[in-house]
Amino acid sequence: MYGWIWRHLPGNAWVRASLSLILVLAVVYLLFQYIFPWAEPLLPFNDVTVDNGMAAVR
């Protein structure tokens, strides 16, 4: 997949590297702004089963 993207980008190696960096930054931006906030309520990371510490203190 990365080879296909690299071959289809215009320009020489420096231009391709710059465009690749821009594409990666755009994907990271989209993930953090739209995908992760949408998926966060669906993930079980907030289902914590730790007590408040009173049972361990005697």
Side-chain angles (χ1 to χ4, degrees), residues 4-56:
W4 182 87
I5 293 171
W6 185 260
R7 284 190 305 271
H8 286 84
L9 289 174
N12 59 16
W14 288 105
V15 173
R16 288 179 180 181
S18 299
L19 289 174
S20 296
L21 180 63
I22 291 170
L23 286 173
V24 166
L25 292 175
V27 167
V28 169
Y29 174 79
L30 290 173
L31 285 172
F32 277 99
Q33 291 297 316
Y34 299 105
I35 303 301
F36 292 156
W38 168 80
E40 194 241 342
L42 305 174
L43 299 174
F45 297 134
N46 290 334
D47 297 339
V48 180
T49 58
V50 178
D51 291 334
N52 62 2
M54 296 305 290

